[in-house]
Amino acid sequence: MNVAAKPALLAVLLALAACAQPAPPVAPPVVDPYASVGGGAVFQGDLAGGTLGAEATAQYFQNTVGDTVLFPANQTTLTPEARTALARQADWLTRHGGFTAVVQGHAEETGTREYNLALGARRASAVQEYLVAQGVAPGRLRTLSFGKERPAATCSDEGCYSQNRRAVTVVSDAGPGA
């Protein structure tokens, strides 16, 4: 090797050595003295989305508590079944104060747009009043009427109409400062 090439080769080797990453430090093993006592459960991950916190979610409210109550045709009177469902909703809402709710009123496709908007508003108000009477703070609830604009089922028979005569309680996290 020639004398002039040695400094250039040395510079290249030094540059490559500067780019090399040191090996990451090896973390010491975590020893849990209770892991083998009594055959108990071993923690295996984040619990935030697990079963311990699952009840305090909008999805749990919708799927397990139940978010929908149905009404008879042209009525705003709560049926016994609706009162039972609303009692479950009120219980959940009082236990989970970090949530607010919008009660959406709906109507079937028969009748005028104006009539159905008013009917949906009265249905939403009936649900709101019942929830407040059960102890839910009024400031956590508001109402909204869709009338016949957002049907749950679309067809022109009683089976569809009965599904569309409803009020739906939609919960959401109140966010910081709630």
Side-chain angles (χ1 to χ4, degrees), residues 133-174:
Q134 295 297 307
V136 179
R140 294 177 53 209
L141 301 170
R142 60 186 188 95
T143 62
L144 179 64
S145 177
F146 287 109
K148 62 183 178 179
E149 303 304 317
R150 292 193 180 177
T154 51
C155 63
S156 295
D157 65 33
E158 181 55 30
C160 291
Y161 295 160
S162 65
Q163 293 176 58
N164 293 329
R165 296 188 292 256
R166 70 194 192 284
V168 180
T169 306
V170 180
V171 298
S172 59
D173 194 337

Side-chain angles (χ1 to χ4, degrees), residues 15-93:
L16 288 174
C19 292
Q21 297 290 325
V26 177
V30 175
V31 178
D32 183 355
Y34 302 105
S36 62
V37 175
V42 177
F43 175 73
Q44 296 188 10
D46 182 19
L47 292 178
T51 58
L52 295 180
E55 185 180 317
T57 64
Q59 183 177 4
Y60 181 90
F61 180 86
Q62 180 182 15
N63 296 334
T64 305
V65 175
D67 64 350
T68 303
V69 294
L70 300 176
F71 291 86
N74 300 313
Q75 296 291 313
T76 60
T77 304
L78 297 171
T79 64
E81 295 83 12
R83 290 176 190 273
T84 300
L86 292 173
R88 285 193 315 269
Q89 289 183 15
D91 178 60
W92 188 92
L93 285 164

Side-chain angles (χ1 to χ4, degrees), residues 103 123-133 136 138 141-143:
V103 181
R123 287 174 174 165
S125 291
V127 168
Q128 179 186 34
E129 290 170 12
Y130 189 87
L131 292 173
V132 168
V136 179
L141 301 170
R142 60 186 188 95
T143 62

Side-chain angles (χ1 to χ4, degrees), residues 109-135:
E109 68 181 62
T110 61
T112 65
R113 181 177 187 274
E114 293 78 17
Y115 174 81
N116 285 318
L117 281 170
L119 181 59
R122 290 193 309 273
R123 287 174 174 165
S125 291
V127 168
Q128 179 186 34
E129 290 170 12
Y130 189 87
L131 292 173
V132 168
Q134 295 297 307

Side-chain angles (χ1 to χ4, degrees), residues 90-108:
D91 178 60
W92 188 92
L93 285 164
T94 55
R95 287 185 292 115
H96 299 94
F99 287 84
T100 59
V102 176
V103 181
Q104 301 175 346
H106 298 270
E108 64 191 68

